[in-house]
Amino acid sequence: GSVVASYPYDDSPTHKPTGVYSKSADDEVFRYLAKAYASHHPIMRTGKPNCPGEEGETFQDGITNGAQWYDVEGGMQDYNYVWANCFEITLELSCCKYPPTSELQQEWENNRDSLLAFIEKV
């Protein structure tokens, strides 16, 4: 896990494991939506999720192009965009895929304003 808003494309023509910006025709819209979410999240907006084992990982403005981060062939956000004309971003909300119950209230607090801002933009 991580704390970042990722947007299409996740796949790139070269299939390099990482570092290839794979721009969609609607890149500006995707960046706008991802930034709308990230800018309201207290951790995501810093661009420094500080996840164990990935302490040096950073994301400018708390967002990333999927393939720039890591290449995923056949991912859902790309599939839905290409074949169903759905604009979808992926939200990585925690370093831990399954946070303990004791942390869920804080996760809600971290994401509430982001969710509302995202809904308003959509």
Side-chain angles (χ1 to χ4, degrees):
S2 192
V3 184
V4 65
S6 173
Y7 55 92
Y9 287 120
D10 281 336
D11 195 3
S12 70
T14 63
H15 302 296
K16 260 183 81 177
T18 187
V20 177
Y21 195 100
S22 191
K23 186 176 181 177
S24 74
D26 297 294
D27 192 69
E28 287 183 43
V29 175
F30 282 119
R31 290 178 56 80
Y32 176 76
L33 292 173
K35 205 179 259 192
Y37 194 96
S39 67
H40 290 84
H41 190 287
I43 297 167
M44 197 179 293
R45 71 174 165 229
T46 70
K48 298 175 185 170
N50 200 29
C51 293
E54 298 289 338
E55 291 84 0
E57 188 170 59
T58 60
F59 303 99
Q60 185 174 348
D61 299 321
I63 67 174
T64 189
N65 172 260
Q68 176 94 36
W69 187 19
Y70 65 91
D71 194 272
V72 174
E73 188 174 352
M76 283 303 297
Q77 78 179 4
D78 289 2
Y79 178 86
N80 286 332
Y81 176 57
V82 172
W83 297 105
N85 202 28
C86 294
F87 284 45
E88 183 176 310
I89 65 171
T90 298
L91 300 168
E92 299 268 346
L93 301 178
S94 174
C95 296
C96 176
K97 297 255 185 221
Y98 304 101
T101 304
S102 61
E103 295 178 14
L104 293 181
Q105 183 62 39
Q106 184 60 54
E107 290 298 334
W108 166 244
E109 295 297 327
N110 288 348
N111 288 282
R112 182 186 55 228
D113 292 344
S114 294
L115 286 165
L116 292 172
F118 185 74
I119 290 167
E120 288 173 358
K121 301 299 183 203
V122 171

